[in-house]
Structures are given as C-alpha cells and as structure tokens.
C-alpha cells in the first residue's frame, strides 16, 4: 500500500484539522495509507509519527488547532541541544524510511520556503496555503483567514458599545504580520473609522485630523483597527534604512549586527500602539483605550467558509497525489483550485494592493488611512 506523509507547520489556524480530514479520507478511499508527523518539520526530523486512518480523521472537521500539533522550526535551522542544526539529511532519511510517495505540508510563508528546500533535496512535495494573515502568494485566500476575520470583526462590534457609552477612541491591534488583510477586512466589516495597515504608512497628524473632524461632526467616538505591522512614515523610512544597511553589509559580523538592529526596531514597534494612543488622546481630547486581540484570532472552531475551503483544497491535494503531480501548492482560484509551483510561492508575500476594492470602498465611505 502506497504511503503519504502530512504535517502542519508554522502558526496554528482554524481549518487545519478539516484539511487533514479531507486528505486522509480521500487518500484512504483511494487505497493509500497516510501517516502524520507531529510538531511540523521537527516531527519529521525526529520521526514522531501518528497513523491517520479513516477513523482518526472522523470527528475533527469542527475542531480548531491541529491534531498533529505544530512548530515554527525549519529543516535547515532545527534547535538541537542549544544549537541550530541542519536536519535536512535526517528528514530525507525518515522520508525514505517510511517509503513515502509524497509529503504534504500545510502552512504559510515560512512553510513554503521549507517545502521548497525539501523539494530541492529530492523529495516529492505538495503544499496547501494556511495562515490567518492571508499573505500567501498565488491563492485567493488561505485556510484560517475567514475565521480570524470573523473573530476580529466580532471584537470591533463589541467595542462599539463601550466606545459610544464613554465617548472614547478605541485602538484595536489586529494580527496579520506585515500585511493588512485582517485589519482592513475586519475594519471595513466592523464599521471602523480609521484603519492603519502596513501597506499605507501613516502620518500622526493625518490620523489626529481625521479623529478631530469626526468630533466636529458630532461623532463622539471612533473605532480604529491597527495591523500589528502598521508603521508611521518615519518608522517606515527607518526600517528601510536598516534593511539597506543589512544588504550592504560587507561581512558576516556586520550582517549580524544589522539583523540585531532590525530585531530591536521591531521589538520597539511592538509597543508603539500605546504611544500612539497617548498621542491621539492628547491631540483629540478624548479618552483613548487599547485592545490587543492577540491569539484569540487564531483559536476556536473554524467557520463554515474555512471548513469548505480546507475540504476543497484537501481533496484536490489527494487528487494530485493520485496523478503524481508533485512540486505544487494547491491554491484557491475562484470556485475551483489551481496547481501553482512551490518555487513561485516560496519567498513571495501577498500584500494588499493600494487599488484593492476593499480600500476603494473604505475611502468612499470616509474611512481614513492616515495618509
């Protein structure tokens, strides 16, 4: 009986179990055997397996998280005994030990980079796009995005009542890494007044101006979702200078020093929302409060849309195994799917286009972006 391996890597997302279920049930019915590797690529490197029979795949459609667990460890940078070691060789050995026909990797941007590395090492690889950030290239959407979008929108809905009762400005930090899909989508769906996203560097005076204009119009509160990667124009210029410094580094020591500077910059920016709240309160004269949703956006049962997406991509992934079409990501394309070479996905981030219909609609409604 032919055997296929599967793993989930990177941050957890609602819908992972639905994808595992779809792959497992379809493969088993096609005469294949499926085994899961626990803890992402780490489990593959250290041979932590879990049989995924049809019974195992039953009852997990509605369950959040992943029964295979996950980690962010990479094949070529695996923490072992306090060091980061290249475990690609061990992974190849375990792949061959289990006589796998193919390895299916479900994950986001980092997972696709790792998947490409293993493909170049000679393994048959298939992937599926998963991340609440919706930033994987060449797919309409990703597993987990819709659920996270609903959670963030629900939070904005809930904050409307306390904002209006106390005449406050409510800043809400939304996940999304360095893209604004979650903040933009939830802001538009949740009736936000100002939305800050990484794709549009903001100016403090423009944000304050938008809030003051609302006050002059008799609107006594404001809802303001902010993507975790959103930066002011000044911070954007500072980051660009640091990244250029890293690229122009002449040796390893200079490059490592530049990396540390960038890390320190991002660390400082992680608390910038509180500084922004203080500045806006001073300029607007209104009480300003901060809410950080954090990992609430990644948890819980997947939405119906994510269950359908995961099921569609999972069953098509199994179909690609039957056809021996390896080296592809199964992408969502309209109502159907498409096979996109992993090499075209790895290292490419899907950001929000400045002419995206969501941005155009928001501007028509009078939503400010701080630009």
């Amino acid at each position: 009986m032919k055997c296929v391996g599967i793993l989930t890597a990177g941050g957890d997302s609602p819908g992972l179990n639905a994808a595992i279920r779809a792959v497992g049930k379809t493969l088993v019915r096609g005469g294949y055997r499926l085994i899961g590797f626990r803890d992402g690529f780490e489990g593959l490197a250290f041979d932590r397996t879990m049989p995924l029979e049809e019974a195992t795949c039953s009852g997990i459609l509605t369950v959040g998280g992943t029964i295979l667990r996950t980690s962010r460890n990479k094949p070529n940078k695996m923490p072992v005994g306090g060091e980061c070691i290249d475990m690609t060789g061990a992974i190849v050995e375990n792949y061959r030990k289990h006589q796998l026909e193919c390895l299916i990797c479900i994950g986001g941007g980092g997972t696709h980079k790792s998947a490409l590395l293993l493909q170049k090492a000679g393994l048959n690889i298939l992937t599926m796009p998963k991340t609440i950030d919706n930033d994987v290239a060449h797919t309409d959407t990703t597993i987990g995005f819709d659920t996270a979008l609903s959670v963030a929108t629900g939070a904005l809905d809930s904050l409307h009542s306390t904002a209006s009762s106390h005449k406050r400005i409510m800043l809400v930090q939304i996940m999304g890494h360095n893209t604004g899909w979650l903040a933009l989508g939830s802001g538009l769906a949740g009736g936000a007044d100002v939305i800050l996203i990484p794709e549009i560097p903001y100016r403090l005076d423009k944000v304050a101006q938008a809030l003051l204009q609302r006050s002059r119009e008799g609107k006594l509160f404001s809802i303001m979702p902010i993507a975790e990667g959103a930066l002011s124009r000044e911070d954007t210029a500072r980051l660009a200078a640091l990244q250029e410094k890293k690229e122009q580094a002449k040796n390893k020591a200079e490059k490592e020093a530049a990396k540390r500077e960038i890390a320190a910059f991002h660390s400082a920016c992680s608390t910038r929302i509180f500084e922004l709240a203080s500045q806006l309160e001073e300029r607007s004269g209104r009480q300003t409060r901060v809410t950080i949703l954090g990992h609430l956006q990644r948890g819980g049962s997947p939405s119906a849309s994510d269950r359908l997406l995961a099921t569609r991509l999972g069953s098509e992934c199994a179909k690609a195994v039957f056809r021996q079409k390896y080296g592809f990501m199964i992408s969502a394309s309209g109502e159907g799917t498409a096979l996109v070479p992993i090499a075209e996905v790895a290292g490419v981030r899907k950001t929000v286009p400045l002419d995206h219909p969501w941005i155009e609609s928001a501007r028509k409604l009078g939503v400010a972006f701080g630009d």
Side-chain angles (χ1 to χ4, degrees):
M1 185 178 290
K2 293 182 178 180
C3 184
V4 173
I6 189 170
L7 59 81
T8 54
D12 63 299
S13 290
L16 281 171
N17 287 325
I20 294 168
R21 170 184 179 270
V23 171
K25 283 181 171 285
T26 308
L27 284 178
V28 169
R29 289 172 182 271
Y32 281 68
R33 185 166 62 91
L34 180 67
I35 61 171
F37 291 93
R38 294 186 182 275
D39 310 313
F41 294 104
E42 181 182 320
L44 183 56
F46 294 100
D47 201 21
R48 301 174 192 151
T49 62
M50 172 183 177
L52 293 172
E53 301 166 350
E54 192 164 5
T56 314
C57 294
S58 295
I60 63 172
L61 175 66
T62 63
V63 180
T66 164
I67 60 171
L68 294 176
R69 301 194 301 261
T70 185
S71 76
R72 297 186 184 276
N73 294 331
K74 301 172 176 58
N76 60 333
K77 294 180 181 178
M78 194 79 62
V80 181
E83 297 182 66
C84 280
I85 298 176
D86 188 344
M87 296 293 286
T88 306
I91 286 174
V92 171
E93 185 178 332
N94 286 329
Y95 178 97
R96 291 172 178 165
K97 169 186 171 182
H98 292 285
Q99 298 180 329
L100 298 182
E101 292 287 318
C102 170
L103 174 68
I104 298 169
C105 307
I106 314 177
T111 300
H112 281 83
K113 289 181 183 179
S114 296
L116 181 60
L117 186 152
L118 296 182
Q119 180 183 321
K120 289 179 177 179
L123 309 189
N124 294 331
I125 305 290
L126 284 169
T127 67
M128 283 184 274
K130 170 279 312 174
T131 172
I132 67 167
D133 303 335
N134 195 37
D135 62 353
V136 177
H138 304 299
T139 181
D140 289 350
T141 189
T142 57
I143 297 169
F145 174 65
D146 182 76
T147 307
L149 186 64
S150 298
V151 172
T153 302
L156 296 183
D157 291 347
S158 297
L159 287 169
H160 266 85
S161 58
T162 188
S164 61
S165 297
H166 291 272
K167 297 185 291 186
R168 285 174 174 164
I169 299 171
M170 305 298 287
L171 275 57
V172 188
Q173 189 180 79
I174 308 290
M175 279 185 165
H177 198 217
N178 291 316
T179 58
W181 293 104
L182 261 184
L184 175 60
S186 61
L188 191 56
D193 308 298
V194 178
I195 302 173
L196 302 184
I197 60 175
E199 291 83 352
I200 305 177
Y202 67 87
R203 288 170 51 184
L204 177 61
D205 60 330
K206 290 288 186 179
V207 176
Q209 183 181 327
L211 297 173
L212 288 169
Q213 181 60 33
R214 283 181 54 78
S215 294
R216 286 192 288 268
E217 293 171 355
K219 299 169 183 175
L220 304 180
F221 72 94
S222 294
I223 302 294
M224 190 170 154
I226 303 175
E228 61 184 353
L231 296 174
S232 67
R233 288 190 177 184
E234 294 79 11
D235 282 337
T236 300
R238 171 63 176 157
L239 178 59
L242 289 173
Q243 290 173 334
E244 184 178 358
K245 182 178 180 181
K246 175 187 168 185
E247 290 173 5
Q248 294 180 350
K250 297 178 181 179
N251 52 56
K252 186 177 180 181
E254 287 184 3
K255 193 167 188 177
E256 289 301 318
K259 283 183 179 180
R260 287 194 295 272
E261 283 190 79
I262 292 173
F265 171 84
H266 285 301
S267 179
C269 287
S270 66
T271 59
R272 197 60 53 87
I273 189 171
F274 295 101
E275 296 175 26
L276 180 60
S278 178
Q279 292 167 330
L280 292 177
E281 181 169 310
E282 182 180 347
R283 296 193 181 205
S284 67
R286 294 202 180 277
Q287 287 186 337
T288 305
R289 296 291 183 267
V290 173
T291 299
I292 298 177
L293 297 183
H295 291 84
L296 285 173
Q297 297 157 94
R298 291 223 308 243
S301 181
S303 66
S305 180
D306 269 328
R307 295 178 201 181
L308 289 171
L309 174 64
T311 299
R312 181 157 53 102
L313 297 184
S315 60
E316 285 299 315
C317 187
K319 183 178 176 181
V321 173
F322 296 151
R323 296 166 56 198
Q324 297 184 334
K325 298 284 288 184
Y326 303 129
F328 296 98
M329 176 184 78
I330 316 300
S331 102
S333 178
E335 293 300 312
T337 61
L339 296 179
V340 181
I342 296 172
E344 294 181 12
V345 179
V348 182
R349 180 184 294 125
K350 181 180 73 176
T351 57
V352 181
L354 297 184
D355 60 350
H356 193 275
W358 288 0
I359 291 181
E360 292 182 352
S361 295
R363 290 194 188 278
K364 289 173 183 176
L365 293 171
V367 176
F369 288 90
D371 58 342

